[in-house]
Amino acid sequence: MLRRITDGIVFAALLTACGSKPKQGVTVDAPLSPRRQVHKQMRAEYYAALGILEAIVDGRLADARGKATWVVTHGDNFDPPASRDDDLLRAADTIAHAKTVLDSAGGLARLGHACAQCHLAQRANVDVGFANFSPPPESTELSNQMQRHAWASERLWQGMLAPSDAAWTQGADLLASTAIDLSTTNHGKPNAEAVVLAERLRTTAESAVHANQTDRSIVFGEMVVTCARCHDLARMHPTFGDH
């Protein structure tokens, strides 16, 4: 996008220098203001980080590493290059070089913590209202239950990085209250460890409601690791939609 903007500006300058005018109906994008550029950068990084979360819980390590690599390198594409927080870069680099899905989950927790600390230091007013959608309805179907978990995980992520007490509490409450029926996995014989992990996730979510901002990244990392491990054992299909 920024390359297209720059090319458009150069093209307009060349036309002016040659004494020509753009043809009727041809428009040239104006350069982004510093504020709009930061907004664009933050929104892109938000969806990249969300994509890392989705990839981790789905067991797609290569996708998680690829998106983390983008987080590390994409700042150079801005003009001028975007300022990057060192803790954020180190966390993303950890994911980019993770050997296992579980290792990447720990990096994701550190990434969220780095985002939150930077937002607090900059006194940024991070509005997560754009994602204030309604959770999927309760259901006895495992696929729907997983959709509710997906919604809760995204809300927890928003609550951690904004930081937003309301978003965090909504995610933790829904995760704690959603029952998980594993009877349909593995031909009606759910893995015993997966059952234990599902219960662990529920109890962790219950305690997460009361976690302060300092502890949220630790709790979130524990929950992501639990989700990824349980999905691997139960051989669940990916449940997250594309963004």
Side-chain angles (χ1 to χ4, degrees):
M1 174 63 177
L2 289 175
R3 182 175 296 174
R4 182 168 64 87
I5 292 171
T6 303
D7 291 345
I9 296 171
V10 172
F11 178 65
L14 289 173
L15 288 175
T16 302
C18 295
S20 303
K21 295 181 180 180
K23 294 181 180 180
Q24 186 175 3
V26 175
T27 59
V28 178
D29 291 338
L32 295 176
S33 67
R35 182 174 180 177
R36 290 289 297 172
Q37 179 167 293
V38 170
H39 180 269
K40 179 180 179 179
Q41 175 191 348
M42 292 295 98
R43 196 171 183 87
E45 289 185 354
Y46 169 81
Y47 282 112
L50 190 61
I52 294 172
L53 167 61
E54 296 170 351
I56 290 173
V57 298
D58 284 348
R60 295 181 281 111
L61 179 60
D63 287 349
R65 293 177 59 175
K67 292 180 183 300
T69 299
W70 180 89
V71 171
V72 173
T73 61
H74 87 282
D76 294 338
N77 296 329
F78 288 91
D79 185 18
S83 175
R84 318 300 305 288
D85 179 79
D86 289 342
D87 289 340
L88 182 149
L89 291 175
R90 282 192 291 267
D93 189 66
T94 297
I95 302 169
H97 293 90
K99 301 298 184 182
T100 68
V101 169
L102 301 186
D103 288 341
S104 66
L108 179 65
R110 292 193 292 275
L111 179 65
H113 180 73
C115 292
Q117 292 305 303
C118 183
H119 294 161
L120 288 171
Q122 298 296 326
R123 297 183 179 180
N125 182 21
V126 181
D127 182 11
V128 295
F130 73 92
N132 203 6
F133 45 87
S134 300
E138 292 187 46
S139 172
T140 58
E141 296 292 329
L142 181 60
S143 60
N144 288 11
Q145 293 166 353
M146 289 295 96
Q147 290 173 10
R148 283 171 63 84
H149 272 210
W151 184 94
S153 298
E154 182 172 350
R155 209 66 180 137
L156 285 164
W157 176 253
Q158 294 158 2
M160 178 174 61
L161 67 86
S164 167
D165 292 339
W168 177 267
T169 301
Q170 287 173 358
D173 281 342
L174 188 130
L175 200 60
S177 63
T178 300
I180 297 298
D181 181 9
L182 295 175
S183 63
T184 58
T185 63
N186 294 334
H187 306 288
K189 297 180 179 180
N191 184 289
E193 185 180 351
V195 175
V196 172
L197 289 168
E199 177 60 20
R200 180 186 300 170
L201 180 63
R202 187 188 65 79
T203 57
T204 303
E206 287 179 345
S207 63
V209 174
H210 308 291
N212 58 37
Q213 291 179 2
T214 302
D215 295 336
R216 284 177 183 174
S217 62
I218 299 173
V219 175
F220 185 80
E222 292 176 356
M223 288 191 286
V224 172
V225 168
T226 301
C227 289
R229 179 60 179 157
C230 186
H231 291 178
D232 182 56
L233 291 171
R235 293 183 174 83
M236 297 176 184
H237 296 293
T239 57
F240 288 96
D242 293 331
H243 287 269

